[in-house]
Amino acid sequence: MALSLDREAFSRRLRRLYASWQKGEDEFGGVDAIVVAVGVDEEIVYAKSTALQTWLFGYELTDTVMLFCEDRALFLASRKKVEFLKQVAQGKGGDGASNGLPAVTLLVREKNESNKANFEKLLEALRGSRAGRRLGVFAKDKFPGEFMRSWNDALSKESFEKVDVSAAVALAMAAKEEQELALMRKAAAITSELFTKFFKERVMEIVDADEKVRHSKLAEAVEKAIEEKKFLAGADPSAVEMCYPPIIQSGGNYNLKFSVVSDKSHMHFGAITCSMGIRYKSYCSNLVRTLMVDPSQDMQDHYGFLLTLQEVLLRELRHGARLCDVYGAVMDVVKKQRPELLGKITKNLGFAMGIEFREGSLVINSKNQQRLRKGMVFSVNVGLSELPNREAKRPEERSYALFLGDTVMVDEDGPAVVLTSVKKKVKNVGIFLKNEDEDEEEPDKDAAEDLLGRSSRAALLTERTRNELTAEEKRRAHQKELATQLNEDARRRLTEQRGEQQTQKARKSNVSYKSAALLPKEPHVREMKIYIDKKYESVIMPVFGIATPFHIATIKNISMSVEGDYTYLRINFFCPGSALGRNEGNIFPNPEATFVKEITYRASNLKPPGESTVPASNLQNAFRIIKEVQKRYKTREAEEKEKEGIVKQDSLVINLNRSNPKLKDLYIRPNIAQKRMQGALEAHVNGFRFTSVRGDKVDILYNNIKHAVFQPCDGEMIIVLHFHLKNAIMFGKKRHTDVQFYTEVGEITTDLGKHQHMHDRDDLYAEQMEREMRHKLKTAFKNFIEKVEALTKEELEFEVPWELGFNGAPYRSTCLLQPTSSALVNCTEWPPFVVTLDEVELIHFERVQFHLKNFDLVIVYKDYARKVTMINAIPVASLDPIKEWLNSCDLKYTEGVQSLNWTKIMKTIVDDPEGFFEQGGWSFLEPEGEGSEAEPGESESELEDETFNPSEEDEEEEEDSDEDYSSEAEESEYSKDSLGSEEESGKDWDELEEEARKADRESQYEEEEERGRGRKRKGPPGRGRPHPPKKKRK
């Protein structure tokens, strides 16, 4: 297949080269022609000559001489290359110069001859260009080979003066076009993927397993990894290569340059610096990170300062700024904040890159006067070396270095844009080990640990969920510490909040008319008929011969009935004592006033002589209009209530740049309208905007997002981006704190009537297509997330639920609940479930009994006024993993065999916090001693009976009065479990009923002891006499 050449790009770039030459300053403007000769040398990776060829043609052309004269360009190359170059020579002729382009002349190199004739033509063209004396050349480029030697000999015979124009040409090529930037973004994405998915994971494995691996071996493994497609972000492997062999350093031996190679020393578990760069389709990228294993506070502080310096550097890299000024701004920060580090910082802070990895003329140092231009791409690298480690115990730990670098693009206004979106905060690059050396005080080591061969180095806690077995004693000891801390913190918090009295909102006092003069002068009012004033939303009724107005808000309901010859209209009013929910006394502005409870009017259905209508028609009209006004009022009130407490958001700042991160064909939940609609989610300067196909807009600001969760489509039918907000937003006339954007993966419904066959080609093809679709969607979503995190400078971080999860029913149906780094979530079902771990006070497990298959989990929040969250029907098998997870999150948990009345418990705490904590605080939930599980009564329930533990009457009362804390779900679940466990005894209900009747008959005649023995003999072990199931109480 013939190679194609982008003629437009060639013309554009050649025009740019000539323009910078013609208006060139210093020596570049003074040259008469530019000579570029490229030979064959496999060892030369980066050269200005080959970079210029790649920039113009997209390929390297070996054994080729290029001359750029004043009004024409000449290329001497082999026949094959000339055929390729004909694509740019066509149509240029003599009119090329008028477009700012020189005419192109192609000369075919002869293999068997000495090319004298061709060389003469070239030299003649040089002599005829401008003054024909000064030649611009790339002084450092020296290629071997016979052809190059003969050309250099021919050139040296002439009396030309040679001037090095490398820096000037580099500056002309430095500002990248959008096409070039796309390639560099791809190179940066591959570098990021390789570091995150391969290198970082491999280092974590090495540290976890306490392996001994040499730096050079690990570097080789990184180089081999680019042969695997899964690390290449979907790129063609043949177009991917390393910019340089990866540099891995640790253990006190650091050289923060890119010219060094990884040594053969074993990797030391301290500060591990890694530099790697990927070259994609000839365009380079670079990434530098330092992974820190169990970093000391001093190391973390130094790393934090390094991050600050990089932020300053990125902020200063703006269009028009001078490189020396950028360097100076960073050094000023060092002088002001940490002057002792001036001698330890890297000598330069980065360099321009593109087709060449390092552009020597565009280095960020104190002397470079060159100005930055929009579109330039830099590798920015800030490092601190020879930092002393005060906690060192071994020679290799005495000093360490920190190195941080990214590939960035200079923007017109605003800081440089980071292309390598690899997270770099301490929590992202720190590998924290949980040492088990603390347990050395215990004389007996856990035998199971020795059998498993676990080293003293414990499991990694960074970005991983470890399911290793830990002793129950260790958990209990940790929980004991947490219990003490919990009570102290809660007591202090409640004492601070004591002064803040929570005032309940009184019902709005709706006055019909401020004065009697405003009463309408309608005939109905004068005639003592019922009149509805729609303007003031009031009903004027005759009461004892006086027209009395009542605001529509005071009317609870109305009813109309016809009995015989009369129509009755009954109007019920709100008053203290009517069913308005709990604490109703506070919602009336003046509860001591005299209230009208109801009024009934009667009118005849018989038409009196001479009247056109029956008297009852007034009541019928009044009934209809009151209903209408009431409906309108209630709708308005509901809307106002929705808007209550809505925090006014900032306006979204739209980024007009077309390259904004964007995801198309997404659905939004909850729906904007009744019918779900597709739309696009786009990230702007300070927030997201979702635009539906109908044109509806929903804006979510970054600073209003509490949790951003990405739920991949592994094992799910949808792929989701979920936002849990700090403050609710309004859309679709309702307020929402949870908004998610999703798209479906594969078919959610299955045609059961379709004939299924294991080897059906259509089915296999459909499965293959679904797999590809899943992969494609995951990649698109991940790219979007990475771009957004880069755009927000990682202020907004997306959390991915861990694989560790458990089934439970937080609402009506069972779903999979999964922890993230800061929350417990379920995003695939609606409504979603999100609990922020920082807001949780403690977790209580209810109904934890040996014979039950599942238990309930209650989440108590630090804000005691907030309703507790209950998750029902969690399988018992999940209990230990949940405990382990909570323990690792430093969350206190307790367990008990009963379901508690949490409304009363929380009310008791809020009413008398001092008394609650004097009695031991949350310790009442703790089982006292080992025997308390077998006997769930005595010591625990005594305290509960006093203040907390509900009797059956309490529960019934609670069901009637309190909707929020209804325990129906708990009871039904409890009865289901107990029935389920009785089923396990193997007898059906008929047999159990018969046994129960028989036992009842025998109990009338037998002695107490005998009856006890008979009961033990007939019932299931430890269960007492079996009873038929009780009917569920309505």
Side-chain angles (χ1 to χ4, degrees):
M1 192 178 97
L3 295 175
S4 62
L5 190 149
D6 188 340
R7 285 177 62 182
E8 281 183 27
F10 170 79
S11 306
R12 201 168 51 243
R13 290 168 190 178
L14 189 60
R15 194 177 288 119
R16 203 161 106 191
L17 179 67
Y18 268 79
S20 62
W21 175 21
Q22 281 156 13
K23 67 176 181 184
E25 298 168 7
D26 305 330
E27 293 179 339
F28 189 42
V31 299
D32 301 318
I34 301 166
V35 179
V36 181
V38 178
V40 182
D41 190 348
E42 294 295 328
E43 290 180 11
I44 297 175
V45 180
Y46 302 112
K48 193 68 75 226
S49 311
T50 53
L52 182 63
Q53 284 186 346
T54 307
W55 187 60
L56 290 172
F57 310 122
Y59 299 95
E60 283 183 22
L61 305 177
T62 53
D63 283 344
T64 302
V65 176
M66 303 189 295
L67 302 187
F68 299 101
C69 301
E70 186 180 17
D71 53 3
R72 62 177 180 153
L74 293 90
F75 302 138
L76 171 63
S78 64
R79 192 173 296 280
K80 236 181 202 177
K81 294 186 184 80
V82 167
E83 286 296 320
F84 168 72
L85 292 170
K86 275 181 182 174
Q87 296 174 73
V88 295
Q90 287 164 8
K92 291 289 176 286
D95 61 337
S98 61
N99 300 327
L101 282 173
V104 175
T105 305
L106 302 177
L107 301 173
V108 180
R109 180 167 67 88
E110 296 295 335
K111 282 185 180 179
N112 302 327
E113 294 178 23
S114 57
N115 288 292
K116 274 186 183 178
N118 287 326
F119 288 166
E120 191 52 46
K121 286 177 186 174
L122 294 178
L123 294 169
E124 193 180 323
L126 291 175
R127 285 191 286 266
S129 177
R130 291 190 180 181
R133 283 184 296 105
R134 291 163 64 88
L135 300 185
V137 296
F138 301 140
K140 285 186 182 177
D141 292 3
K142 289 182 168 56
F143 289 90
E146 189 59 39
F147 176 65
M148 285 293 108
R149 204 176 297 115
S150 55
W151 163 245
N152 288 328
D153 289 346
L155 199 60
S156 58
K157 285 175 186 173
E158 303 290 325
S159 57
F160 292 123
E161 182 189 342
K162 292 179 183 177
V163 178
D164 188 10
V165 292
S166 302
V169 173
L171 193 64
M173 294 162 60
K176 306 290 183 286
E177 298 172 356
E178 192 52 49
Q179 194 178 352
E180 294 177 280
L181 288 173
L183 294 173
M184 296 198 80
R185 282 193 192 99
K186 187 68 178 175
I190 299 168
T191 308
S192 306
E193 199 94 338
L194 184 65
F195 178 85
T196 310
K197 289 189 177 174
F198 180 79
F199 180 76
K200 190 176 173 185
E201 285 293 317
R202 180 74 188 105
V203 170
M204 288 167 80
E205 284 170 15
I206 292 165
V207 175
D208 197 9
D210 205 4
E211 288 181 50
K212 284 194 172 183
V213 178
R214 297 182 191 278
H215 296 141
S216 53
K217 288 288 178 190
L218 188 54
E220 284 172 22
V222 174
E223 284 197 81
K224 281 182 184 172
I226 63 169
E227 295 168 14
E228 296 182 47
K229 273 195 172 182
K230 62 181 175 181
F231 302 123
L232 300 185
D236 177 13
S238 63
V240 177
E241 59 183 324
M242 299 298 296
C243 293
Y244 56 91
I247 304 164
I248 299 155
Q249 302 175 91
S250 69
N253 296 322
Y254 300 95
N255 187 349
L256 306 186
K257 292 180 179 176
F258 297 102
S259 53
V260 298
V261 292
S262 302
D263 60 27
K264 293 186 178 178
S265 306
H266 287 110
M267 190 167 75
H268 173 256
F269 300 155
I272 305 162
T273 65
C274 171
S275 312
M276 61 173 69
I278 288 290
R279 198 178 190 205
Y280 177 67
K281 293 188 176 176
S282 299
Y283 283 85
C284 300
S285 65
N286 196 29
L287 175 73
V288 183
R289 287 290 181 271
T290 304
L291 297 178
M292 298 175 287
V293 183
D294 259 349
S296 61
Q297 191 54 50
D298 199 34
M299 189 185 286
Q300 290 184 47
D301 293 344
H302 278 127
Y303 187 79
F305 181 61
L306 210 58
L307 285 175
T308 308
L309 293 182
Q310 198 195 38
E311 278 178 31
V312 173
L313 179 56
L314 296 178
R315 200 166 56 239
E316 294 295 325
L317 283 170
R318 292 168 182 266
H319 177 78
R322 288 190 307 176
L323 289 170
C324 57
D325 294 342
V326 173
Y327 181 85
V330 176
M331 288 303 131
D332 287 346
V333 175
V334 181
K335 284 171 192 170
K336 282 178 190 171
Q337 296 183 16
R338 304 290 291 271
E340 73 277 9
L341 297 177
L342 271 171
K344 301 183 184 301
I345 201 160
T346 43
K347 294 291 178 276
N348 63 63
L349 302 179
F351 44 81
M353 66 193 310
I355 297 169
E356 284 189 278
F357 175 70
R358 182 180 188 276
E359 180 43 65
S361 61
L362 292 170
V363 175
I364 306 171
N365 58 25
S366 57
K367 297 174 183 175
N368 203 327
Q369 298 292 321
Q370 293 288 3
R371 291 192 181 273
L372 292 163
R373 294 183 198 168
K374 183 191 172 185
M376 284 184 172
V377 176
F378 278 79
S379 170
V380 293
N381 316 292
V382 193
L384 295 169
S385 56
E386 294 179 15
L387 296 168
N389 183 4
R390 297 187 188 93
E391 299 172 17
K393 292 173 185 174
R394 290 182 285 182
E396 62 266 29
E397 294 174 357
R398 282 178 192 153
S399 71
Y400 63 91
L402 299 172
F403 203 14
L404 180 65
D406 281 292
T407 303
V408 303
M409 181 190 78
V410 178
D411 215 346
E412 193 155 10
D413 38 56
V417 179
V418 179
L419 304 182
T420 42
S421 55
V422 175
K423 294 176 184 177
K424 53 196 167 202
K425 289 182 182 174
V426 173
K427 64 177 182 180
N428 304 123
V429 296
I431 301 172
F432 296 90
L433 301 168
K434 191 164 81 176
N435 277 326
E436 294 177 357
D437 300 338
E438 299 158 13
D439 303 321
E440 283 176 6
E441 296 164 20
E442 297 176 20
D444 300 324
K445 262 203 163 184
D446 193 348
E449 273 190 28
D450 296 333
L451 286 170
L452 290 167
R454 285 171 58 191
S455 63
S456 63
R457 208 170 270 284
L460 292 171
L461 296 182
T462 303
E463 297 186 355
R464 285 196 179 180
T465 304
R466 308 295 296 166
N467 293 324
E468 295 183 17
L469 297 170
T470 58
E472 182 66 26
E473 288 74 24
K474 276 192 225 169
R475 269 212 306 250
R476 282 186 187 166
H478 188 216
Q479 287 296 310
K480 223 173 216 175
E481 290 167 22
L482 290 174
T484 315
Q485 192 184 336
L486 169 73
N487 281 332
E488 286 172 8
D489 292 350
R491 191 172 198 158
R492 189 172 59 250
R493 197 169 58 247
L494 286 176
T495 310
E496 286 167 7
Q497 292 172 356
R498 221 172 151 186
E500 302 167 18
Q501 286 292 324
Q502 286 198 344
T503 53
Q504 245 193 333
K505 204 171 177 188
R507 194 184 189 86
K508 195 164 65 177
S509 179
N510 292 300
V511 179
S512 295
Y513 304 102
K514 289 181 179 176
S515 67
L518 291 171
L519 234 76
K521 309 288 188 284
E522 295 290 330
H524 275 62
V525 178
R526 289 196 300 273
E527 292 165 13
M528 289 297 152
K529 290 181 179 178
I530 297 174
Y531 175 73
I532 294 93
D533 186 349
K534 290 184 180 179
K535 183 183 176 185
Y536 288 95
E537 292 181 328
S538 297
V539 182
I540 300 164
M541 309 178 201
V543 179
F544 301 120
I546 300 166
T548 311
F550 291 86
H551 194 274
I552 198 77
T554 61
I555 297 173
K556 184 180 176 186
N557 55 44
I558 59 172
S559 63
M560 191 174 69
S561 60
V562 178
E563 295 178 15
D565 294 340
Y566 294 97
T567 295
Y568 292 85
L569 180 68
R570 180 179 172 181
I571 301 172
N572 294 320
F573 297 91
F574 286 115
C575 63
S578 61
L580 279 165
R582 312 173 71 217
N583 304 324
E584 59 181 14
N586 296 342
I587 67 168
F588 291 96
N590 185 10
E592 300 300 317
T594 304
F595 287 84
V596 178
K597 190 175 182 183
E598 63 173 84
I599 297 178
T600 305
Y601 292 95
R602 187 184 77 168
S604 173
N605 291 334
L606 302 173
K607 188 164 71 168
E611 293 289 335
S612 59
T613 57
V614 294
S617 64
N618 174 246
L619 296 187
Q620 289 162 0
N621 285 338
F623 176 76
R624 179 176 54 79
I625 297 168
I626 289 171
K627 283 280 189 192
E628 281 176 19
V629 175
Q630 209 175 21
K631 185 180 177 184
R632 196 169 65 222
Y633 174 77
K634 281 180 179 173
T635 305
R636 196 179 72 245
E637 283 288 293
E639 283 180 13
E640 282 178 16
K641 193 179 176 186
E642 285 289 335
K643 286 176 185 172
E644 261 177 36
I646 292 284
V647 177
K648 192 174 186 317
Q649 303 289 318
D650 299 333
S651 299
L652 183 74
V653 180
I654 301 294
N655 188 353
L656 300 173
N657 192 347
R658 285 191 177 179
S659 63
N660 283 348
K662 191 173 185 178
L663 278 177
K664 294 180 181 177
D665 302 329
L666 298 180
Y667 294 105
I668 185 173
R669 278 203 295 207
N671 296 332
I672 300 173
Q674 287 191 345
K675 191 180 177 185
R676 69 174 191 164
M677 278 181 293
Q678 280 190 328
L681 181 68
E682 193 166 2
H684 291 283
V685 176
N686 65 335
F688 295 101
R689 169 165 282 180
F690 175 79
T691 312
S692 72
V693 287
R694 199 176 68 176
D696 305 284
K697 290 181 174 64
V698 176
D699 295 344
I700 299 171
L701 301 186
Y702 300 139
N703 60 11
N704 191 31
I705 296 172
K706 189 188 280 187
H707 297 291
V709 182
F710 168 50
Q711 177 75 58
C713 49
D714 303 324
E716 299 289 350
M717 295 309 290
I718 58 173
I719 184 165
V720 180
L721 287 182
H722 184 93
F723 300 111
H724 182 66
L725 308 178
K726 294 173 188 171
N727 301 305
I729 58 170
M730 287 283 291
F731 65 87
K733 294 186 180 177
K734 288 190 179 176
R735 54 192 291 167
H736 305 286
T737 48
D738 285 286
V739 185
Q740 63 176 226
F741 305 95
Y742 71 98
T743 188
E744 291 168 359
V745 186
E747 293 179 26
I748 289 182
T749 56
T750 306
D751 183 3
L752 296 174
K754 184 183 168 189
H755 174 68
Q756 299 286 334
H757 192 272
M758 191 196 296
H759 301 295
D760 188 345
R761 282 189 180 183
D762 290 346
D763 284 358
L764 291 172
Y765 178 70
E767 282 177 22
Q768 177 65 23
M769 290 300 287
E770 187 178 316
R771 274 196 296 273
E772 286 175 13
M773 171 65 80
R774 281 175 185 271
H775 178 70
K776 208 172 177 183
L777 283 171
K778 263 168 73 176
T779 307
F781 272 69
K782 277 183 181 175
N783 288 343
F784 175 78
I785 287 166
E786 284 169 4
K787 285 175 185 173
V788 169
E789 286 179 344
L791 183 71
T792 59
K793 297 189 175 54
E794 295 181 23
E795 281 173 26
L796 177 67
E797 285 191 42
F798 282 83
E799 302 173 53
V800 179
W802 299 340
E803 288 179 15
L804 163 78
F806 58 91
N807 288 302
Y811 303 114
R812 293 178 181 275
S813 60
T814 302
C815 58
L816 179 67
L817 299 159
Q818 293 172 287
T820 69
S821 54
S822 63
L824 178 66
V825 301
N826 171 264
C827 302
T828 50
E829 303 288 331
W830 195 263
F833 179 83
V834 181
V835 170
T836 306
L837 298 181
D838 285 345
E839 294 172 4
V840 174
E841 180 85 310
L842 87 151
I843 307 287
H844 181 67
F845 303 119
E846 292 185 340
R847 301 190 308 102
V848 180
Q849 295 186 49
F850 175 68
H851 61 277
L852 295 182
K853 287 181 181 176
N854 44 35
F855 64 94
D856 302 334
L857 182 148
V858 178
I859 300 170
V860 181
Y861 296 97
K862 288 175 181 172
D863 177 8
Y864 289 167
R866 188 172 166 187
K867 186 177 76 170
V868 301
T869 300
M870 182 166 282
I871 303 170
N872 299 315
I874 303 169
V876 168
S878 301
L879 184 60
D880 268 353
I882 293 172
K883 283 182 179 178
E884 187 60 42
W885 166 60
L886 292 173
N887 201 47
S888 71
C889 295
D890 290 338
L891 281 174
K892 171 70 183 153
Y893 63 80
T894 54
E895 62 180 80
V897 293
Q898 296 169 324
S899 294
L900 302 179
N901 187 336
W902 285 96
T903 315
K904 289 203 163 189
I905 293 174
M906 301 313 291
K907 189 175 185 303
T908 307
I909 298 170
V910 173
D911 289 349
D912 182 18
E914 287 295 326
F916 172 70
F917 288 108
E918 276 168 21
Q919 289 178 23
W922 291 107
S923 59
F924 80 92
L925 292 170
E926 296 278 6
E928 295 186 17
E930 292 295 316
S932 61
E933 285 183 24
E935 295 179 353
E938 300 169 19
S939 62
E940 185 181 330
S941 58
E942 271 175 35
L943 176 58
E944 286 170 12
D945 285 338
E946 250 181 89
T947 47
F948 308 114
N949 193 31
S951 61
E952 284 187 22
E953 291 79 33
D954 289 336
E955 285 191 29
E956 286 173 6
E957 181 187 323
E958 207 50 45
E959 279 177 19
D960 296 337
S961 65
D962 179 31
E963 293 170 9
D964 288 348
Y965 290 92
S966 169
S967 57
E968 279 182 19
E970 297 166 29
E971 287 179 0
S972 62
E973 195 54 60
Y974 185 87
S975 62
K976 267 190 256 174
D977 289 328
S978 56
L979 295 180
S981 58
E982 284 189 358
E983 252 177 50
E984 290 167 20
S985 62
K987 295 177 182 177
D988 60 25
W989 294 119
D990 294 333
E991 287 176 321
L992 290 171
E993 282 176 340
E994 184 58 41
E995 281 187 13
R997 278 197 290 273
K998 204 188 248 180
D1000 286 339
R1001 280 199 302 274
E1002 287 171 0
S1003 65
Q1004 295 170 17
Y1005 306 105
E1006 289 179 5
E1007 292 293 323
E1008 189 67 32
E1009 293 170 17
E1010 287 294 311
R1011 189 167 71 237
R1013 277 203 293 273
R1015 195 181 292 132
K1016 280 181 191 173
R1017 188 169 57 250
K1018 291 179 183 179
R1023 303 296 300 279
R1025 171 168 56 82
H1027 285 281
K1030 290 178 184 176
K1031 289 184 181 175
K1032 186 182 167 190
R1033 185 170 68 242
K1034 296 285 180 192

